[in-house]
Structure formats: C-alpha cells, structure tokens
Amino acid sequence: MTPQPVDSPDLWAGLSTLEDLSGEDDTAPEVWEDPIPLTGRRERPDFPAHVLTAWVREFVAAVAEETQTPVDLAGSIALAVLATAAGGRSVVHVRGNWREPTNLYTVVALPPGNRKSAVFALLTNPLYEAEKQLKAAMKPVIVEAEVTARLAKEAADKAAAKAASADNDKREQAVATAVGLAQTADTLTVPAEPVLLADDSTPETVTSLMAEQGGRLSVMSAEGGIFDIIAGRYSGAPNMEVFLKGHAGDRLRVNRQTRKEYIDAPALTIGLAVQPDVLQEIGKVKGFKGRGLLGRFLYSLPVSTVGEREVITEPVPEQTAATYTARVIALTLSLAEWTDPAVIQLSPEADAALIAYQKRLEPQLKARGGKLGHVTDWAGKLAGAVARMAALLHLAEHLGEGYAHPVPEATMRAAIELGEYYTAHALAVFDVMGADPVLGRARSVLDALRDNGWEDVSRRDVFTVLSRSEVPTVTDLEPALALLEDHGYLRSYQPERTGKRGRPPAARMQVHPTLRDAGR
C-alpha cells in the first residue's frame, strides 16, 4: 500500500472506518490492572535434557547440579560438542536430494556471574584431549611427509641444476628428468597438524584453518567476541562469508593475491555462551540479519539461577565424567579419518515424524498471522536443524557405528522436542533484537503515549505523532494498538452518539494511568 499524507481525506476516512469497527462497549470502568510487559508472554521452557542420550544427559545434569547453573547452558554446549565431533565427517540424508551436514551454531545468553566459563570447560575438555590424541597419531605421518617432501625438493633442485649445465646432447634428457622430479615434488604435501577448535578467530583465520582441516572446524567460546570480529573489529567491515557458507556447507573459494583456498564442503560449528546484551547488540549490526547470519543460530535464553543457588553441591560423579570423556573422544576419533562423510539415514518412521512436523511448521511461516512470520529466515532453517540434531543424537547413541543404523522415530521426536525448545527461545531472543515489526511499533506507541501524557486519545492522534517511515499507514498501526490493548495498556471504547444523524463518533482509547503519569 502506498503511504498517504497525514492530511489525506481518504486516509482519515479509512481510519474512521477502522475506528467504527474497533468496539461498541460503553466507557470502560476506572479500575486498571498492571499491564503485562510486551515481552512478558514469551514462554521459555527449560531445556529438555531428558531427550539426550543417556551418557550425555547424565553428564549435563551433573554439571548443572555442581555448578548450580541452568541445565540449558550445559545442554546447548553438549550439542555443540557433538557437532564438533561429527561435523564435517557425517551428513544426514533426509529424503531425495536433501542432505544436511551435522554441524550446528548454538548460543546461550546468561548474565555475568553464571559460571559460563566453568561449564564450558567441563563440557569441552574431552575435545581438547581428542585433539591431542589426533596430533600425537598424526605426528609421525607429518614428520615422514616433511622429510619426503624435502628430499623430493632437493632432488628436483639438483636435477634442475644438472640440466642447466648439461651438454647439448644430454640436455633434453636431463631437462625431462628435472621436470619429472619437480612435478613429483609439487604433488607431495605435508598434512596439517589436526585442529578441532578455535577461539574467537578472525574470518581469515577460520577460513585458512578450515581449508587445512578438510573443511572441519569448531569455534567454541564462553564469550561473544566472535560477533565483534565478524562485524569488523579488525577489518572495519563485516566479513560473514565463511560463517554463512560454513553453516550451510556451500562451496567456499577464496582467491586473493596472498592466498587461494578452496573448501568444497565446509562444516563449521559454533558454540557460544554470551551475555544477553550481546544478543541485543548483534541485532543492530548492519548485515547480520539481512545476510542471514542471525538465522543460523539455535538460541537459548534461560532464566538465571543467581540468587537461588545452593552453596554446597554434589560434584560430578567420577564415573559419569569418565564415561562422557571417553565417549566424546571415541566419537571424535571414530569419524576423524573419514574423507567422504558418513551418511546417516532416516528410518521411514523417523521421516514420517519429520514430515508431520514440517506440515505443522509451514503455516506458522505466513507473513501475516503466522507465529514465525517475522523470523522466517530463522524458522525456514528449523526443519534442517531438527534433522541435524536427530543425526547427532543418533551418533551419540551408536558412536562410530551410527551410519550402520537408520535414525529411529524416537530419536527424531526427541530432536523435534529440541526444535520446539529452541523455537520458543528464539522468539524471546528476536524480541530482544527487535525483529518483530508489530512489537517495535507497539513500543513506539508506548513512547508516544508516555511523552504526550494522554488520558484519552483517538487513533488519529496516535497515528499523527508517529514516524511515517516506521508506521506508513493506519493498517500498519492497528496490530500494534491491538497488541497494547491485549497487554492492558489501552482500552478501546465507543463514545455515545451526540445526535441522531450522521456517522457515529470514532472509537477512542483510554490510556493506562502509569503511562499518563510517566508523561507528566
């Protein structure tokens, strides 16, 4: 709809029509209940730890108990740990040509003092141990390759020098020998030292590491500095390419004067624990939403336990910790040697459960009236995220033999429950980021009501003081007013007719006393 000027007769005629339909009750009573905060209705369920594989579930619960932190923190980090172990080395075949890599982007937001670093260390320590073992196993191979490459290079150099000084009758054969040795030396490569994890690395470093590691890497951090780096802390401009393609598995090619790197199937995992303010700030970074970076994360916004924690707690049982450590390492090592990824198949029952979930999800993506209509970039990837989580739960259950068994229906339903958890939390997070235009307009209306100190106001008056860039038409205003009325900030009423002829008076709104007082 083309925005109309404020003094347009057609605009006000349309506004009057909307007001005529807005209510027929007499003036509302004077008693007001406390309004419900605009974000107060978002339910944030607890992390469904019961759906995790037993050895993961037991460790997550034990860590949450010892550290007195929300189980959401350890649970989301545990999923990132599994994705680190399997990402780049396995894919899940959903149906047809639809395959999903098994890497994830997770982020948990908790205020300071919630022991995020301690939980991170407990969950990720086995990955560092697995990395050490991979390095130890690879060291002899690297040494042998280095010696072989050096000898080949020396032989090629000597052959080239000999060819340069050879007599004419022997030059052709000497050159052919030198060329052959040079080509052989050029084909010899030294394997890179295995690296599983990076911490707040630059996009360029992440790209180089992924290229060295066959496309696989994980960025795990108990801070949110990686967002600042992506936003351009060092370069001055956002650099998101590797983080966008690293999630989707799209081919990544870097051609610059200083380097050329090719990654056919990148698989980047990100596991972060940040402060809530970080989420609010990244929502403002130009390009993060438009390019789709924010739509790739599974968000968790648990309720802090600070102030309600027990001082003396049960430590993580030694056997529980030992089992967790051994199995994370076993899963990592079992997949480390795969060059072509292990393919995880869905059982027909698991696929049917996912199809039913997709059918329930689709109507929620409608731009008008859909629960997820304002976050379609995120919600459009949700079914894929569920398939990835199902594969990770399956691999955790079967470790290195997961590819030999199809994912059962129960595992898919467990992943769907995780998907519903992350959906509820994502909606809360996107509220914080201001992703919902209706919510944003409702907040602007609240500011206008406070600033003007109105006790009783017409829709026309409210519309007049708002920015046309934010609220172009009356139609755009109505959902925001309905939301505020639903939350108890406003009450619509129909004034009594003063005469028997003409159009009935336009509906008006009473304003909650707390807003009126704030404007004085």
Side-chain angles (χ1 to χ4, degrees):
M1 182 182 292
T2 303
Q4 302 179 30
V6 174
D7 57 353
S8 167
D10 292 339
L11 183 149
W12 296 124
L15 181 57
S16 298
T17 301
L18 286 168
E19 292 173 342
D20 292 343
L21 298 174
S22 61
E24 299 180 355
D25 294 338
D26 293 331
T27 302
E30 293 299 323
V31 177
W32 290 83
E33 295 182 358
D34 290 339
I36 300 169
L38 286 179
T39 57
R41 288 190 172 181
R42 293 293 190 198
E43 293 185 4
R44 289 178 288 161
D46 293 334
F47 185 88
H50 63 275
V51 306
L52 300 175
T53 306
W55 61 270
V56 181
R57 177 179 68 246
E58 291 170 5
F59 188 70
V60 163
V63 168
E65 167 61 27
E66 179 177 339
T67 60
Q68 290 291 285
T69 53
V71 71
D72 314 57
L73 178 58
S76 285
I77 297 171
L79 286 175
V81 167
L82 293 176
T84 300
R89 298 298 183 266
S90 64
V91 298
V92 55
H93 177 216
V94 182
R95 68 186 79 97
N97 291 316
W98 182 11
R99 292 190 176 196
E100 290 283 343
T102 53
N103 54 305
L104 295 176
Y105 288 8
T106 69
V107 56
V108 186
L110 278 168
N114 272 275
R115 299 167 179 164
K116 297 188 290 289
S117 295
V119 175
F120 236 90
L122 289 169
L123 268 295
T124 59
N125 278 342
L127 291 175
Y128 289 97
E129 178 57 36
E131 187 178 83
K132 288 180 183 178
Q133 293 188 25
L134 287 172
K135 288 180 178 180
M138 184 59 69
K139 189 171 182 179
V141 177
I142 293 174
V143 170
E144 181 180 351
E146 287 175 339
V147 171
T148 302
R150 185 172 68 251
L151 292 175
K153 179 68 167 57
E154 291 175 353
D157 290 342
K158 289 180 180 178
K162 185 176 181 180
S165 60
D167 295 334
N168 289 337
D169 60 335
K170 297 181 179 180
R171 182 182 296 273
E172 184 176 351
Q173 179 60 40
V175 169
T177 300
V179 169
L181 290 173
Q183 290 175 336
T184 299
D186 192 56
T187 61
L188 297 176
T189 58
V190 178
E193 185 178 60
V195 174
L196 292 177
L197 299 122
D199 185 354
D200 288 356
S201 300
T202 66
E204 292 76 17
T205 302
V206 169
T207 303
S208 296
L209 284 172
M210 289 178 68
E212 290 177 356
Q213 302 301 318
R216 170 198 200 177
L217 190 68
S218 180
V219 176
M220 302 281 281
S221 176
E223 302 293 340
I226 188 67
F227 288 121
D228 292 335
I229 294 172
I230 298 172
R233 176 197 291 172
Y234 302 115
S235 63
N239 186 352
M240 291 176 273
E241 200 71 12
V242 66
F243 299 98
L244 298 176
K245 293 185 174 181
H247 179 273
D250 296 335
R251 184 176 289 109
L252 177 63
R253 301 208 166 192
V254 178
N255 291 286
R256 295 175 182 165
Q257 290 183 345
T258 56
R259 62 193 176 102
K260 292 184 179 181
E261 293 163 332
Y262 307 106
I263 310 173
D264 286 334
L268 179 64
T269 288
I270 300 180
L272 304 174
V274 303
Q275 296 181 20
D277 288 350
V278 171
L279 296 182
Q280 189 170 12
E281 291 303 314
I282 64 175
K284 301 175 184 177
V285 177
K286 184 178 180 181
F288 272 21
K289 187 176 188 300
R291 295 288 305 280
L293 180 66
L294 300 182
R296 285 161 165 74
F297 281 88
L298 297 175
Y299 297 96
S300 176
L301 190 62
V303 177
S304 172
T305 57
V306 173
E308 299 179 355
R309 298 176 294 192
E310 298 290 338
V311 175
I312 305 299
T313 61
E314 289 291 329
V316 176
E318 290 185 7
Q319 186 57 50
T320 299
T323 300
Y324 174 80
T325 297
R327 295 190 178 179
V328 168
I329 293 173
L331 178 60
T332 306
L333 299 184
S334 68
L335 293 170
E337 298 303 319
W338 285 75
T339 50
D340 294 330
V343 180
I344 311 301
Q345 302 286 350
L346 302 185
S347 69
E349 296 79 11
D351 188 33
L354 182 59
I355 290 171
Y357 176 64
Q358 290 179 266
K359 289 181 178 179
R360 294 198 307 272
L361 184 63
E362 188 63 25
Q364 300 178 41
L365 305 180
K366 291 181 180 178
R368 291 186 176 274
K371 173 184 173 183
L372 303 173
H374 62 293
V375 290
T376 51
D377 179 58
W378 183 89
K381 300 177 180 65
L382 183 53
V386 165
R388 295 184 188 204
M389 290 189 287
L392 291 174
L393 296 178
H394 184 68
L395 286 168
E397 182 68 31
H398 296 281
L399 298 180
E401 300 297 321
Y403 63 91
H405 311 276
V407 175
E409 179 184 1
T411 301
M412 180 58 70
R413 293 197 179 280
I416 289 171
E417 190 168 346
L418 284 168
E420 291 172 342
Y421 163 85
Y422 283 115
T423 298
H425 282 249
L427 287 172
V429 167
F430 283 115
D431 280 351
V432 172
M433 293 181 183
D436 187 346
V438 173
L439 187 62
R441 289 166 187 158
R443 290 192 174 116
S444 295
V445 172
L446 279 182
D447 290 339
L449 296 174
R450 291 190 185 98
D451 293 342
N452 289 277
W454 284 312
E455 181 176 345
D456 188 285
V457 66
S458 69
R459 283 166 166 74
R460 175 183 300 187
D461 291 336
V462 173
F463 182 75
T464 301
V465 301
L466 296 175
S467 165
R468 292 289 79 76
S469 62
E470 181 179 15
V471 189
T473 69
V474 176
T475 303
D476 297 312
L477 175 62
E478 282 300 313
L481 295 178
L483 180 63
L484 291 175
E485 187 164 359
D486 191 36
H487 281 248
Y489 288 101
L490 296 173
R491 288 176 179 167
S492 291
Y493 72 96
Q494 184 67 45
E496 293 183 3
R497 184 192 292 267
T498 56
K500 295 183 179 180
R501 300 174 64 84
R503 180 186 295 273
R508 295 183 65 83
M509 298 174 293
Q510 290 185 327
V511 182
H512 196 283
T514 58
L515 297 178
R516 302 200 306 261
D517 295 342
R520 292 171 182 165

